[in-house]
Amino acid sequence: MENITLEVQNLRKTIGKKEIIKGLSFELREGEVFGFLGPNGAGKTTTIRMLVGLIKPSAGAIKICGFNIQTHFYHAIKNLGCIVENPELYPYLSGWDNLLHFVRMLDGISEERIKEVTELVGLTERIHDKVKTYSLGMRQRLGIAQALLGNPKVLILDEPTNGLDPAGIREMRQFIRYLAEKEGLSVLVSSHLLAEVQLLCDRVAIISKGSIIRTDTVKHLLSNRERVLWRFFPYEQGKMILSSLTNIEENEDETILTEFKEEKIPEWNKALVEAGIQIIEMNRKLPALEDLFLELTGGDTIE
């Protein structure tokens, strides 16, 4: 069985008379990237603040590497690195001096470890430059270096690609995958970017209005959701033939969606061609987490 590094059991948070977080339960495993997906206001940041010990839960338990955060806080937090919202950095200090400053708050971190994390996040060439000269992506990586100094088993990143350009997002995605696959970290990534979670994460918890409505592997969530888009002429005749062979969904632009069945596609294609239908387009459509999200949340939107 894979090692469970973070376990959340029936987590609740009430502020005033309003229950903000409503009994969340999930776990992270060693070496996986876990997506925490929901719109702004769904409860992601409140949950993360509880996970990292910034606010106390009203009920439930959080265990990091087996240590309960409420009864064994020091041992639990020792195994955790995090960036909640944007990393706090001193712009007029170098990257190295920022890390040195942070190290003073930790026990037993050597200069060798600072060099290790600097290399790990790919900042060796720029670590002695002032942070004010860094791009946003470099600042994010320095923030992650800071979070990794204590050699944690669990890394929590709240919206790590916020504000990054497409190249920066891709680089951050590759880096997070590297940390999970090569360094064995469990990485929890909170995000409202559906496409990003789909590309980055092994598993995902979908949160809406303080409740988790589904937790599963991305692959399993999206299985049996592939479609084939058809465009043909004449439309009405082609639609009649295709609908006699399989279930169809009509679009407003006179295209048709069918399920993707690899063994059936040639047969449907042949039936259309033999009836004199001109096939203009036949395109395999990969499923999108966005469609599933809207379906599960009843239209609760992400941004």
Side-chain angles (χ1 to χ4, degrees):
M1 186 181 163
E2 294 161 296
N3 286 339
I4 292 173
T5 51
L6 172 69
E7 190 176 0
V8 176
Q9 299 168 331
N10 197 27
L11 193 66
R12 296 178 183 273
K13 182 63 182 175
T14 304
I15 298 173
K17 291 184 177 177
K18 187 171 183 184
E19 191 172 38
I20 307 292
I21 303 300
K22 306 167 184 174
L24 304 190
S25 296
F26 61 92
E27 80 246 346
L28 262 70
R29 299 162 192 159
E30 191 176 307
E32 78 167 340
V33 182
F34 185 90
F36 201 46
L37 177 69
N40 290 333
K44 302 190 303 293
T45 298
T46 302
T47 302
I48 285 172
R49 286 179 177 277
M50 288 191 278
L51 297 182
V52 303
L54 289 175
I55 56 175
K56 282 188 175 180
S58 302
I62 299 162
K63 292 179 184 174
I64 303 167
C65 295
F67 295 105
N68 188 307
I69 199 166
Q70 289 188 276
T71 56
H72 295 85
F73 183 82
Y74 175 78
H75 290 96
I77 289 298
K78 200 175 170 187
N79 288 295
L80 181 73
C82 66
I83 300 178
V84 181
E85 291 159 353
N86 294 319
E88 295 295 326
L89 303 165
Y90 295 98
Y92 291 97
L93 294 178
S94 68
W96 181 267
D97 287 337
N98 266 276
L99 294 179
L100 270 182
H101 181 72
F102 189 72
V103 158
R104 293 188 188 110
M105 295 182 268
L106 301 170
D107 290 335
I109 306 292
S110 66
E111 201 165 293
E112 199 53 45
R113 178 61 184 164
I114 302 177
K115 285 178 186 170
E116 275 175 26
V117 296
T118 299
E119 193 175 329
L120 185 60
V121 300
L123 284 178
T124 305
E125 298 294 315
R126 296 289 306 277
I127 197 65
H128 294 292
D129 295 347
K130 287 185 178 177
V131 166
K132 68 177 181 178
T133 68
Y134 285 12
S135 67
L136 186 58
M138 288 169 68
R139 289 179 194 213
Q140 286 284 58
R141 282 188 281 143
L142 184 63
I144 292 174
Q146 182 177 295
L148 294 175
L149 280 167
N151 218 356
K153 300 287 189 294
V154 179
L155 181 64
I156 294 178
L157 303 175
D158 190 11
E159 302 279 3
T161 58
N162 246 6
L164 297 181
D165 61 19
I169 289 173
R170 188 173 63 250
E171 188 181 276
M172 183 59 69
R173 182 169 67 238
Q174 289 168 345
F175 177 55
I176 291 169
R177 290 271 9 141
Y178 173 83
L179 289 176
E181 291 167 11
K182 304 297 183 190
E183 299 293 316
L185 264 76
S186 308
V187 187
L188 184 147
V189 177
S190 155
S191 183
H192 66 275
L193 300 173
L194 287 148
E196 201 50 45
V197 167
Q198 188 169 342
L199 288 169
L200 173 64
C201 300
D202 301 300
R203 289 190 303 135
V204 62
I206 296 174
I207 179 170
S208 177
K209 296 170 186 163
S211 299
I212 288 177
I213 47 179
R214 190 82 176 268
T215 305
D216 211 332
T217 64
V218 173
K219 188 176 179 182
H220 193 258
L221 280 170
L222 299 177
S223 64
N224 303 319
R225 297 182 66 83
E226 281 189 69
R227 297 285 181 267
V228 179
L229 182 138
W230 302 78
R231 190 190 301 274
F232 39 63
F233 181 83
Y235 176 73
E236 290 298 332
Q237 191 186 343
K239 182 178 83 172
M240 194 167 66
I241 292 165
L242 208 49
S243 64
S244 71
L245 298 168
T246 184
N247 293 325
I248 66 167
E249 295 171 43
E250 283 188 78
N251 296 320
E252 287 178 8
D253 62 352
E254 293 200 341
T255 57
I256 299 279
L257 285 174
T258 65
E259 62 188 325
F260 174 76
K261 283 192 171 176
E262 203 160 2
E263 71 285 359
K264 290 287 185 183
I265 301 295
E267 186 184 307
W268 301 340
N269 184 48
K270 186 181 175 189
L272 289 166
V273 171
E274 285 179 350
I277 306 298
Q278 294 177 46
I279 296 174
I280 300 161
E281 182 182 0
M282 186 172 66
N283 190 7
R284 184 176 176 182
K285 303 286 282 183
L286 292 171
L289 200 50
E290 185 166 8
D291 300 330
L292 175 67
F293 183 88
L294 292 171
E295 190 181 299
L296 290 174
T297 61
D300 193 4
T301 55
I302 285 213
E303 288 266 71

